[in-house]
């Protein structure tokens, strides 16, 4: 059962907004951005917002009142994963009102789903919601900062100042358990080269401790930010909630931030900890620019010893200039971690060379190709299984499709009309650095020239 402090009753004349999360309910209630949008629209006097997700009435009736989608005036869709396009496009095709898409995938490159929506929102939408909800046509949407109605030559991403946190939220069983989500920051101070956050959520912004809610309708909280342990006052912040008796989980922990104090507090709320080393050899650590070393991971495992029962590690394969020797280092690192924490789980995913990152020109599969990628994945599976380590390896075909949807142009929409993926294999290849890219029209505030420089540094120096 969910606790929903914003549920509203429809009155004649109200603008009805359908907010679609094209994946499961559990992900929808764990998404802090969606919580903000929902709360903000329902605070508008003559508007009402209801949510839609795939595992409740197949996304065709609202979660709150089972109202059919087509009784709503406006459809807002938030895309967190490219693979969600398939279900969302089918739902959007059935909707007769105004359709707007947003979320990180759209901020990267909306071209593959362009024909299914009337407009896109590029950026953080909070301050524009009132104007968007008021609009009755594409013409009325045009001119709202961040809105792309497909006619503009260029669109500048908008971002907001983060101030006071919302005091109330929907509380339900989500990805972090039944908890209140506390967003402590946006953007990231790091410059990992594979990561979209550094580009599309810049500049990094932290919420002040004084702006966080004091009394929460839940015993547990989840602290959310792209890299929460980089918050300048993370320990004070966590201690503050721990002293009030809340159980705490963190959306992620940087290995070099896991000290005794932090581990002690977290271990009171959870028996497992997740780290993202991404890769293990120093050569590739320099390539991805994560700013972590193998020693950092082992030190973190030592801190975790006797405090956590399980450690989960996230890795990427298919990085530029990666060899089987580099992948062997991953297995070595995992074995070394196991000396301190008995239960180790690893998740290994192929790199999706994302738009707007310095890796955007790379081929999918890394510089050694997809056949090698499969060999590397099989090697990790075999070696880890021998030592009783649970391994989860992302499906290579699925990640290739993700790459096509992420880097494709408008022609890729044929995939949603029964077209075969094979036809779009070209989007998996390396891209000429001087070519125009489908997403070049989005201004995220970085210089393409500097991105190229970073790309060449990686390719030439490692
Ligand atoms: S991977 Fe994490 S630490 Fe690196 S830039 Fe992205 S959010 Fe920041």
């Amino acid at each position: 059962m969910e606790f929903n402090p914003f549920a509203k009753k429809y009155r004649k004349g109200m603008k009805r907004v359908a907010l679609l999360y094209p994946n499961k309910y559990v992900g929808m209630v764990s998404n802090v951005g969606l919580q903000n949008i929902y709360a903000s629209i329902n605070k508008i006097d003559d508007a009402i917002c209801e949510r839609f997700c795939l595992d409740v009435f197949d996304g065709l009736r609202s979660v709150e009142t089972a109202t059919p989608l087509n009784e709503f005036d406006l459809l807002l869709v938030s895309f967190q994963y490219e693979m969600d396009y398939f279900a969302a496009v089918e739902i959007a095709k059935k909707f007769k009102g105004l359709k707007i898409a947003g979320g990180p995938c759209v901020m990267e490159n909306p071209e593959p789903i362009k024909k299914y929506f009337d407009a896109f929102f590029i950026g953080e939408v909070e301050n524009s919601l009132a104007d968007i909800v008021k609009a009755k046509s594409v013409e009325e949407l045009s001119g709202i900062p961040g809105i792309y109605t497909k006619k503009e030559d260029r669109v500048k991403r908008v971002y907001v100042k983060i101030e006071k946190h919302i005091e109330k939220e929907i509380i339900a069983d989500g990805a972090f358990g039944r908890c209140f989500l506390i967003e402590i920051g946006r953007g990231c101070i790091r410059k990992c080269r594979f990561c979209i956050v550094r580009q599309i959520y810049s500049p990094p912004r932290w919420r002040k401790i004084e702006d966080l809610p004091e009394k929460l309708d839940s015993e547990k909280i989840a602290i959310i930010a792209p890299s929460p342990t980089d918050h300048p006052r993370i320990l004070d912040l966590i201690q503050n909630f721990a002293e009030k008796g809340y159980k705490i989980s963190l959306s992620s922990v940087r290995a070099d931030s896991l000290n005794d104090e932090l581990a002690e507090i977290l271990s009171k709320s959870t028996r497992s900890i997740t780290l993202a080393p991404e890769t293990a050899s120093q050569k590739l650590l320099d390539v991805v620019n994560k700013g972590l070393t193998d020693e950092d991971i082992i030190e973190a495992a030592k801190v975790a010893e006797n405090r956590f029962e399980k450690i989960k590690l996230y890795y990427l394969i298919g990085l530029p200039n990666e060899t089987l020797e580099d992948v062997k280092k991953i297995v070595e690192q995992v074995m070394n971690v196991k000396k301190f924490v008995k239960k180790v789980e690893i998740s290994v995913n192929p790199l999706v060379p994302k738009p707007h990152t310095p890796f955007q020109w790379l081929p999918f599969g890394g510089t050694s190709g997809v056949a090698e990628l499969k060999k590397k994945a099989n090697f990790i599976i075999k070696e880890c299984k021998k030592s009783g380590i649970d391994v989860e390896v992302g499906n290579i075909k699925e990640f290739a499709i993700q790459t096509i949807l992420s880097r494709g142009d408008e022609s890729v929409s044929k995939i949603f009309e029964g077209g075969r993926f094979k036809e779009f294999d070209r989007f998996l290849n390396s891209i000429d650095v001087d070519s125009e890219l489908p997403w070049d029209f989005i201004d995220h505030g970085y210089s393409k020239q500097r991105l190229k420089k970073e790309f060449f540094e990686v390719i030439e120096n490692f």
Side-chain angles (χ1 to χ4, degrees):
M1 267 303 277
E2 66 173 30
F3 162 74
N4 184 346
F6 304 108
K8 234 171 152 175
K9 267 216 161 103
Y10 173 69
R11 291 189 320 267
K12 207 162 173 275
M14 268 182 166
K15 182 83 172 254
R16 280 181 139 171
V17 182
L19 181 59
L20 170 64
Y21 179 80
N23 208 308
K24 292 189 178 148
Y25 173 86
V26 67
M28 178 175 75
V29 291
S30 317
N31 185 297
V32 75
L34 236 77
Q35 289 259 12
N36 278 324
I37 296 172
Y38 183 72
S40 303
I41 299 177
N42 278 325
K43 279 180 195 153
I44 302 172
D45 200 34
D46 52 358
I48 177 168
C49 181
E50 296 192 9
R51 295 159 301 153
F52 292 72
C53 59
L54 299 187
D55 51 352
V56 181
F57 306 119
D58 298 325
L60 295 171
R61 286 172 178 266
S62 71
V63 170
E64 287 79 357
T65 57
T67 304
L69 181 66
N70 266 319
E71 290 187 17
F72 288 75
D73 307 295
L74 175 65
L75 174 65
L76 300 182
V77 187
S78 175
F79 286 110
Q80 309 292 316
Y81 315 103
E82 287 85 2
M83 299 308 275
D84 292 350
Y85 288 170
F86 295 92
V89 160
E90 290 312 308
I91 293 172
K93 281 181 190 168
K94 294 187 177 94
F95 184 68
K96 298 190 180 72
L98 207 55
K99 295 172 258 205
I100 308 172
C105 298
V106 165
M107 285 153 78
E108 263 172 50
N109 175 24
E111 293 295 290
I113 49 167
K114 197 168 171 178
K115 68 184 254 202
Y116 304 103
F117 293 89
D118 300 299
F120 295 90
F121 191 82
I122 310 290
E124 297 167 28
V125 74
E126 287 100 316
N127 292 351
S128 312
L129 276 171
D131 290 335
I132 291 175
V133 168
K134 228 187 284 162
K136 292 194 185 72
S137 63
V138 179
E139 289 67 38
E140 286 182 26
L141 283 170
S142 164
I144 298 175
I147 282 281
Y148 170 56
T149 65
K150 305 189 268 190
K151 291 190 193 99
E152 300 81 358
D153 295 330
R154 213 165 158 70
V155 56
K156 195 171 167 47
R157 169 177 57 98
V158 292
Y159 62 90
V160 302
K161 202 169 159 199
I162 58 169
E163 293 166 328
K164 220 149 178 63
H165 200 285
I166 50 175
E167 297 280 335
K168 293 272 170 195
E169 260 182 21
I170 293 168
I171 311 281
D173 293 318
F176 306 99
R178 194 174 178 83
C179 62
F180 195 105
L181 309 170
I182 298 197
E183 189 193 33
I184 62 164
R186 291 189 195 171
C188 186
I189 56 167
R190 311 278 168 180
K191 292 273 176 272
C192 307
R193 295 195 173 103
F194 58 88
C195 179
I196 192 75
V197 170
R198 60 171 260 192
Q199 300 295 89
I200 69 168
Y201 288 103
S202 67
R205 287 149 288 158
W206 296 117
R207 190 165 256 134
K208 292 192 197 127
I209 294 188
E210 305 78 78
D211 287 337
L212 298 176
E214 299 242 338
K215 218 172 151 309
L216 311 166
D217 299 310
S218 170
E219 290 168 2
K220 190 177 170 195
I221 59 167
I223 308 271
I224 313 283
S227 181
T229 48
D230 282 327
H231 188 289
R233 292 185 61 200
I234 188 67
L235 265 179
D236 293 344
L237 190 156
I238 288 182
Q239 244 149 10
N240 214 354
F241 284 111
E243 277 162 18
K244 288 180 191 152
Y246 293 107
K247 287 200 178 308
I248 299 163
S249 82
L250 276 181
S251 58
S252 65
V253 177
R254 251 186 88 84
D256 55 359
S257 313
L258 189 68
N259 54 26
D260 288 328
E261 238 174 324
L262 180 61
E264 205 51 45
I265 300 173
L266 294 178
S267 64
K268 294 204 169 81
S269 307
T270 171
R271 302 307 303 143
S272 76
I273 187 120
T274 302
L275 304 174
E278 316 294 359
T279 185
S281 74
Q282 194 52 51
K283 178 189 90 187
L284 289 188
L285 283 163
D286 292 340
V287 165
V288 298
N289 202 29
K290 179 98 183 182
L292 290 175
T293 61
D294 178 52
E295 292 77 55
D296 290 326
I297 307 303
I298 305 307
E299 284 308 309
K302 286 182 191 164
V303 174
E305 188 179 18
N306 299 327
R307 290 193 170 109
F308 299 98
E309 280 164 12
K310 189 172 90 180
I311 193 158
K312 185 156 186 184
L313 303 168
Y314 279 90
Y315 292 99
L316 289 170
I317 53 172
L319 295 168
N321 304 337
E322 177 188 82
T323 62
L324 192 60
E325 286 309 304
D326 296 308
V327 171
K328 282 182 185 162
K329 289 263 189 245
I330 294 181
V331 176
E332 255 172 55
Q333 185 174 81
V334 174
M335 300 303 170
N336 287 334
V337 167
K338 199 169 160 40
K339 289 179 191 156
F340 303 101
V341 182
K342 291 287 157 283
K343 190 155 174 44
V344 181
E345 260 178 42
I346 69 165
S347 167
V348 183
N349 287 321
L351 169 82
V352 173
K354 288 270 180 181
H356 306 287
T357 70
F359 285 175
Q360 66 181 355
W361 295 284
L362 285 171
F364 172 73
T367 29
S368 52
V370 175
E372 283 297 308
L373 189 64
K374 286 182 187 154
K375 277 194 209 155
K376 290 169 189 166
N378 289 338
F379 174 81
I380 297 177
I381 295 171
K382 199 174 105 221
E383 292 301 312
C384 287
K385 286 214 164 141
K386 269 198 246 164
S387 309
I389 288 159
D390 289 334
V391 196
E392 216 179 76
V393 176
N395 181 304
I396 293 179
K397 189 171 172 211
E398 196 180 306
F399 277 77
I401 296 170
Q402 231 187 84
T403 304
I404 294 171
L405 296 176
S406 169
R407 304 205 297 191
D409 59 21
E410 239 185 306
S411 69
V412 167
S413 67
K414 278 199 201 131
I415 284 179
F416 308 114
E417 310 294 338
R420 296 181 57 231
F421 297 111
K422 266 244 135 312
E423 288 176 52
F424 303 99
D425 271 5
R426 63 182 184 281
F427 292 107
L428 300 175
N429 300 339
S430 58
I431 302 174
D432 177 355
V433 284
D434 294 320
S435 62
E436 205 173 303
L437 302 167
W439 51 91
D440 274 350
F441 73 96
I442 303 176
D443 179 1
H444 279 290
Y446 65 82
S447 135
K448 198 172 171 189
Q449 227 22 59
R450 281 189 60 189
L451 217 58
K452 273 187 198 173
K453 201 168 157 252
E454 206 177 333
F455 170 74
F456 284 120
E457 269 167 27
V458 172
I459 294 304
E460 284 158 11
N461 292 341
F462 297 100

